[in-house]
Amino acid sequence: MSTAEATATAQARAPGSRIKSSSPRQIPVVGVVTEDEEAQGVFKPMDLNHVIKLLEETGKDDLEEKQLKSVKKMVQCYQNGLPLRDLAQIFKILNLCAGKIKKQPHFIEPAYNILKLCGLPFLKKKVSDEITYAEDTANSIALLGDLMIIPSSELRIQICYQQASSSYKIKMAEVGGLAKTMVQSLVLVENQLVEKLWVLKTLQHLSASEVNCTLMVKAQAASGICAHLNDPDPSGQLLFRSSEILWNLLEKSSKEEIIQQLSNLECLLALKKAFKNLFTRGLSHYDRQLRNDILVITTIISQNPGAPMIECGFTRDLILFATFNEVKSQNPLVKGLKFSNSYEDFELKKLLFNIIVTFCKDLSTIQLLIDGKVILALFTYVKKPEKHKIVEWSAAQYEELQLHAIATLSSVAPFLIDEYMLYQGNAHVLAFLEWCDSEDSFFSHGNSFHGTGGRGNKFAQMRYSLRLLRAMVYLEHETINKDLCEKRAIQQLIGIFKNTISKYNDKEEAILLEIQSDILLILSGLCEHHIPRKEIFGTEGVDIILHVMKTDPKKLQSGLGYNVLLFSTLDSIWCCILGCYPSEDYFLEKEGIFLLLDLMALNQKKFCNLILGIMVEFCDNPKTAAHVNAWRGKKDQTAASLLIKLWRKEEKDLGVKRDKHGKIVDTKKPLFTSFQEEQKITPLPANCPTIAVMDVAENIRAKIYAVLGKLDFENLPGLSAEDFVTLCIIHRYLDFKIGEIWNEIYEEIKLEKLRPVTTDKKILESIITASENIGKMVASLQSEMIESQACQDVQNEQKVYTKVQATHKQRELANKSWENFLARTSNVKTLKKAKRLQEKGIESSRYSEHPPNAIFHRTDIKGLNTTVPSGGVVTVESTPARLVGGPLADTDIALKKLPIRGGALQRVKALKTVNEPEKSIPT
């Protein structure tokens, strides 16, 4: 806006006026006086009290002359600036002079001269002067606004010229509330153009501060300024400065309060007139920019449903301006008008699209949108760009407008269903999607907000077209959805999804994920509750769902839209597969249940609820149970174990009371959550669900119960003792929940002070007692399981100890055998004793009487001096080589088999590692 502001300021200057410059000279915050300057007379002594006393006197003949002379002397004394310490007295003098102007016009000049001094930096002798005299300074600056009441054009202009060019003056102006008094002074200068422009200029500078904007809002600045936008002003400065002030107020103060101030017929008529004049007659860059600013302000006001936009005719005109370029109109207001490809006109077109979106939120404007043929105008952009027909806009501009138009259709079309079908909206969108999915050469610029991620491709166009389709499908309007299916939308969307998989790359990952998510959501909307459409979805649709489900779980944390895509996929399973048995069987055949359980094993709560819901429905298929039981997770975890683990985690999050073993603590309220404990039971109407009923829908326990029930509680594989303890509770979930609801009924009857008949009372008490007994029975069963497991743990521990003891016994026997061996080889007496014991043992094992003619075969080798049992082949154990070094390691005995002397026909197989034979008994 800086260029427009400079232009407007230059136009406002008139020859001979006191307006020196719209940009104030850069001056210090407060002038600091040094000792040398003070010696030169910057702080000349001046008896200001004498001047004040003189001005307050009345009745003397020559008094006026003396008063003027004293004020003139004071002005000369402070020609270098006003000291902060004297500021309060000087402004009192100024106020006295201003009070005399009406009867004594000669006081205009001294008042004017004092005001000129206010434009100089304030002087301080000490650093602390700014703080010491802050209150006096603020009150003095605030007095400037009060002086606007003086009917003197020169003084008013001079007051406005005191621009707060230093941070200190701005702060003091905020404290003194100068902005509020300046707003109030607008009424005084309503018919004086020059003075009004100076006041607006001052307010423009003051509105740069949030504090001042707040003060101006309290003074109703927005409505007061807006109502006079079209006052006569040849310079054009009034409209510019007024719009700038409105902008600042919207940005730096309460937006809601500003909108409320501007939402009246007078302000909107003023905005309408200003906009129409600039739209139809504005030719300069400045006019177009100002026109766009007013439209933005109007758009903000139109967000208020109470604004009389329709009543003042502004809505109809804006719709006409938005569509006349696409839909030819005979309205004389737009006759001969044409957009150029200038930046301002391009921005105007986008702003008009924006305000149409705002209009559609107000149902009272729907008929105006229909009359203005908005849908037809927007659909002119839903087609393949044709270069020879794009006259008004450049290729980049047309692409941005095309995307903006499709985005606008997504908001407007759901409110204009008949118009959408009348102009064959589905056909337009599907044809445009076909072009987006084609291999036609097209270079997208992707410069705009709507074109993000679509540079060099047609993904941006595809994204917004799919958003439009999604918006229409989710209306659940059967005419629209049936028309889409008849035009083979399901097959086309599945094909587009497959192509996005093949076109995948890291740069466009985010936009491709969004496209895939939207496709799945559209397919879900089309197929839900329609078996024939689910059959059309078929195996090809199941394949794309399985492809998404195989996504690396690490990507779910990447923040690029994988979570949304996965939610869309789960929704598609529910809407496009469940209920269609061929698709269900194909999903099972391709291990879809395994993939669902893998996702559930990730233990992400946001997915578990939806996955469990799908599992409940899938378990109606008799083939599902086998797949669920066959699944194995990490550490060979079964599906039943996973579900029970989720149950325990859910109960922990809900604050359900359980002991350290997972056993029921309160048999009267076995399922109660911490939230239920905190909430008191209150009587409710019959159509309102109670806390116990709402609990079923608000957590996953009911779904876990349903899945395990369909898998058969009695034959669940891979469960630990802890799992069985929890399973006891799950098995009785429905009984506990019924008892919980009956208990609520009983408590409500008490609160309402009703007395059931004797029979009903007994039945009610019996039900509650039975429910409590079930809780006690389950708790008892859990105790038995826990005790049984404790005994089993003790037995297992004893087995481990026994195994450890056996291992130690074997080691002891091995050590004893080695000690005996060492004793025999180291002590001759021990060796002889061992030999005798061996022979004695052999003899005792033989028959004492031999049958006649029996042939006797000896079982020992005569003359063999060993104490170990001998056979046909003897393996000789030697002393370990690490002990003796092995003197026979290099001899032939270690390398070949040698015959045993003494007539034996057998051969002894000698080990290659033999180093030294066992010592023999000496003869």
Side-chain angles (χ1 to χ4, degrees), residues 881-923:
R882 66 179 182 277
L883 301 177
V884 297
L888 301 178
D890 298 330
T891 61
D892 292 340
I893 194 170
L895 304 174
K896 62 177 76 174
K897 297 178 181 178
L898 300 178
I900 300 298
R901 294 181 182 182
L905 299 177
Q906 293 88 353
R907 294 177 177 274
V908 178
K909 180 180 180 182
L911 295 175
K912 293 183 180 181
T913 57
V914 170
N915 291 325
E916 182 179 350
E918 184 180 324
K919 288 187 178 181
S920 60
I921 301 174
T923 56

Side-chain angles (χ1 to χ4, degrees), residues 668-682:
K668 292 183 179 180
K669 302 174 182 178
L671 298 178
F672 252 47
T673 65
S674 58
F675 176 75
Q676 287 176 280
E677 292 283 357
E678 293 169 3
Q679 298 295 317
K680 294 181 179 180
I681 296 176
T682 54

Side-chain angles (χ1 to χ4, degrees), residues 27-129:
I27 56 178
V29 176
V30 175
V32 181
V33 181
T34 63
E35 292 182 1
D36 292 340
E37 290 172 331
E38 186 177 0
Q40 293 173 7
V42 174
F43 277 131
K44 294 178 182 178
M46 183 74 186
D47 189 358
L48 296 175
N49 289 328
H50 174 71
V51 178
I52 293 171
K53 188 176 180 181
L54 186 61
L55 288 170
E56 289 175 343
E57 291 181 3
T58 57
K60 295 182 181 180
D61 296 336
D62 58 345
L63 185 60
E64 181 179 346
E65 186 178 348
K66 289 180 180 180
Q67 290 172 338
L68 292 172
K69 187 175 181 181
S70 64
V71 175
K72 185 177 181 180
K73 184 179 179 182
M74 184 201 72
V75 171
Q76 290 176 348
C77 180
Y78 294 112
Q79 60 183 346
N80 293 315
L82 302 177
L84 288 173
R85 67 185 185 188
D86 297 334
L87 208 57
Q89 291 175 304
I90 292 170
F91 268 81
K92 188 173 182 180
I93 293 169
L94 174 60
N95 197 28
L96 290 170
C97 290
K100 295 179 179 291
I101 290 175
K102 189 173 182 180
K103 295 181 180 180
Q104 298 170 282
H106 295 96
F107 279 93
I108 290 177
E109 185 176 354
Y112 179 82
N113 291 333
I114 295 173
L115 286 171
K116 285 181 68 177
L117 294 178
C118 295
L120 299 174
F122 295 151
L123 304 178
K124 64 179 180 180
K125 186 175 182 180
K126 299 178 182 178
V127 176
S128 61
D129 282 357

Side-chain angles (χ1 to χ4, degrees), residues 655-667:
V656 181
K657 292 180 180 178
R658 299 282 184 260
D659 67 4
K660 62 180 181 179
H661 300 294
K663 183 182 168 185
I664 292 174
V665 175
D666 187 352
T667 56

Side-chain angles (χ1 to χ4, degrees), residues 555-773:
K555 290 184 176 180
L556 295 176
Q557 309 298 330
S558 65
L560 289 175
Y562 280 99
N563 277 331
V564 178
L565 178 59
L566 189 54
F567 274 119
S568 304
T569 304
L570 295 174
D571 187 53
S572 296
I573 296 173
W574 192 289
C575 299
C576 302
I577 296 177
L578 288 171
C580 180
Y581 294 121
S583 296
E584 285 186 10
D585 292 344
Y586 185 75
F587 184 82
L588 293 171
E589 181 185 336
K590 294 296 181 178
E591 299 182 347
I593 287 293
F594 288 3
L595 295 174
L596 280 174
L597 290 168
D598 287 341
L599 286 173
M600 194 158 60
L602 296 175
N603 202 17
Q604 294 194 19
K605 194 170 183 178
K606 54 191 174 185
F607 297 132
C608 285
N609 197 2
L610 190 52
I611 293 173
L612 283 168
I614 294 170
M615 293 287 294
V616 171
E617 296 298 325
F618 249 114
C619 284
D620 288 337
N621 190 318
K623 299 178 183 178
T624 303
H627 288 263
V628 175
N629 289 327
W631 177 84
R632 292 295 181 270
K634 291 182 179 179
K635 298 181 181 180
D636 208 32
Q637 185 182 34
T638 62
S641 177
L642 172 61
L643 291 169
I644 293 171
K645 181 181 177 183
L646 287 174
W647 175 284
R648 284 197 293 269
K649 184 177 183 300
E650 183 75 2
E651 288 202 327
K652 183 179 179 181
D653 294 340
L654 294 171
V656 181
K657 292 180 180 178
R658 299 282 184 260
D659 67 4
K660 62 180 181 179
H661 300 294
K663 183 182 168 185
I664 292 174
V665 175
D666 187 352
T667 56
K668 292 183 179 180
K669 302 174 182 178
L671 298 178
F672 252 47
T673 65
S674 58
F675 176 75
Q676 287 176 280
E677 292 283 357
E678 293 169 3
Q679 298 295 317
K680 294 181 179 180
I681 296 176
T682 54
L684 295 171
N687 59 346
C688 292
T690 63
I691 297 174
V693 176
M694 290 298 294
D695 174 74
V696 176
E698 289 176 352
N699 57 69
I700 62 175
R701 291 189 295 179
K703 292 177 182 177
I704 293 174
Y705 165 77
V707 174
L708 290 175
K710 291 183 178 182
L711 294 177
D712 186 3
F713 285 108
E714 304 298 329
N715 299 302
L716 299 176
L719 300 184
S720 63
E722 184 183 15
D723 292 338
F724 278 113
V725 170
T726 306
L727 188 62
C728 291
I729 302 172
I730 301 174
H731 194 186
R732 289 291 186 171
Y733 172 80
L734 187 58
D735 295 330
F736 289 149
K737 183 56 66 175
I738 291 171
E740 196 176 298
I741 293 170
W742 275 111
N743 188 63
E744 278 186 340
I745 294 170
Y746 187 61
E747 293 298 327
E748 284 187 23
I749 289 174
K750 286 183 179 179
L751 289 172
E752 292 178 354
K753 297 180 179 180
L754 299 175
R755 289 184 58 191
V757 296
T758 305
T759 308
D760 289 346
K761 185 177 180 181
K762 287 181 179 179
I763 293 172
L764 192 57
E765 289 174 351
S766 299
I767 292 172
I768 293 171
T769 303
S771 176
E772 187 177 347
N773 289 338

